[in-house]
Amino acid sequence: MRIKDVIGENNDLQKQLSKDNAAYYDQVITRGRLQYLWKSEEVVEPLLLDILKDILDAQRDGYSVEEVFGDPNVLLQKTMAEIPNMKFWQTLKYYWFVPVIYFAMMLSSFVMDIFSKHYFNGGAFLLSLVGGMITLSVLYCYREKLLNFVLLNNKKTHLCFYLSIIIYILILVGLFYVLPDFLVIHF
């Protein structure tokens, strides 16, 4: 079955869910699709469809979804733990546009400086390159923890997460001002 067909069947079957079960499955499907971005879609979507079919079976038998499956986070952790992560190159095949767009945006300002102001700031370029590689590496290494932070409804966790991003950006901007004339080439 193609992924589009699986998602279509999933959407059709969701209409049969009761209100409480629909809310439970919304948590499952949201976390399943976001938290496990690094798992193969060809494996995750059929697994989500199987969970939905099991929920519908429990609903037909008159059982509560929480009684049968428990917490949706635990359910997903148990089922997704068996699925291997995509290899780096497979991940890059799906999400190649993120680093490409980042580096295109980063390089555009340096290209504009070369053509309009006739100089190249090598220090800022190296700092942007290293900062971007560090950012993408951290996002890749801590992807599941970061998605858990985003999915949690804890205001304190969100505040810490956003403050750390702001501090990181301020450090990078501060380094631009500390090293303004490092490796500048005038044309």
Side-chain angles (χ1 to χ4, degrees), residues 38 84-94 140:
W38 312 109
N85 285 337
M86 288 189 288
K87 302 276 190 248
F88 176 74
W89 294 111
Q90 287 176 312
T91 305
L92 197 58
K93 182 176 91 175
Y94 285 106
Y140 181 76

Side-chain angles (χ1 to χ4, degrees), residues 52-93:
L52 176 60
K53 288 178 180 178
D54 290 342
I55 290 173
L56 286 171
D57 289 341
Q59 179 177 303
R60 271 187 233 109
D61 294 340
Y63 293 106
S64 167
V65 177
E66 283 85 11
E67 291 174 6
V68 177
F69 297 106
D71 184 38
N73 296 328
V74 175
L75 171 67
L76 280 171
Q77 286 174 352
K78 287 179 182 177
T79 54
M80 297 290 187
E82 300 168 8
I83 302 171
N85 285 337
M86 288 189 288
K87 302 276 190 248
F88 176 74
W89 294 111
Q90 287 176 312
T91 305
L92 197 58
K93 182 176 91 175

Side-chain angles (χ1 to χ4, degrees), residues 100-116 125 128:
V100 167
I101 290 173
Y102 173 79
F103 287 115
M105 288 173 42
M106 180 192 75
L107 289 175
S108 66
S109 66
F110 296 109
V111 171
M112 292 299 290
D113 285 344
I114 289 171
F115 288 116
S116 64
F125 177 76
S128 295

